Each structure stands twice: as structure tokens, then as C-alpha cells.
Amino acid sequence: MGNLSRPPKAPDLDGALAANYPSEARRAGTTGTAVARVRIFADGSVGAIRIVSATTAEFGTACKRKVTGSHWQAPLDEGRE
């Protein structure tokens, strides 16, 4: 893939984060992080999701659930949609 004139832009995922936050972590008041590699198609839909790193497996799962089914602002390739 070449350089994009506009990379994909994530939607507001705060509501999805709250809905998918690991319940044990919520009860314990703990926080965590997850880093994901996500394939975004030309129409802004989400393809493959791979968790690169996560504080715990539960945070990785929550991240995956959060991104699954989301719709991103489509990327532009050299001015073409």
C-alpha cells in the first residue's frame, strides 16, 4: 500500500469502550491498555483485527470487541475515494 493522502479516521468509540470494559477490571478499579493493528477497507469498514499488545488478555479482547463492527471515515488514496 502506498502513502494515503488521508488515513482512515476512527469513529468515537467511547461508548463501545464503556460497554466492553472488562468486568473484573471495572470491579477492581484497575486500568489497562491494548494496542491493535486493524485493517480498514476503502469504504471505512473494519477487516482483520490483531492485538499487538495488551496489559491483560481481557483488555485485548475488549479492544477487539470495541473495534469490531465500527465504521471509520474512509481513507483517501491520492485524492481518490
Side-chain angles (χ1 to χ4, degrees), residues 9-27:
K9 183 178 176 191
D12 179 9
L13 295 170
D14 288 344
L17 173 60
N20 291 294
Y21 203 86
S23 57
E24 287 187 29
R26 185 185 313 273
R27 281 192 295 277

Side-chain angles (χ1 to χ4, degrees), residues 4-6 42 74-81:
L4 297 173
S5 57
R6 183 186 73 204
L76 288 179
D77 184 10
E78 299 177 27
R80 296 183 308 268
E81 289 193 39

Side-chain angles (χ1 to χ4, degrees), residues 2-64:
N3 290 331
L4 297 173
S5 57
R6 183 186 73 204
K9 183 178 176 191
D12 179 9
L13 295 170
D14 288 344
L17 173 60
N20 291 294
Y21 203 86
S23 57
E24 287 187 29
R26 185 185 313 273
R27 281 192 295 277
T30 57
T31 61
T33 61
V35 175
R37 184 175 198 111
V38 181
R39 180 176 302 266
I40 306 299
F41 293 114
D43 66 356
S45 63
V46 173
I49 304 167
R50 182 172 63 90
I51 302 302
V52 176
S53 66
T55 308
T56 66
E58 291 79 16
F59 280 102
T61 300
C63 178
K64 217 171 192 180

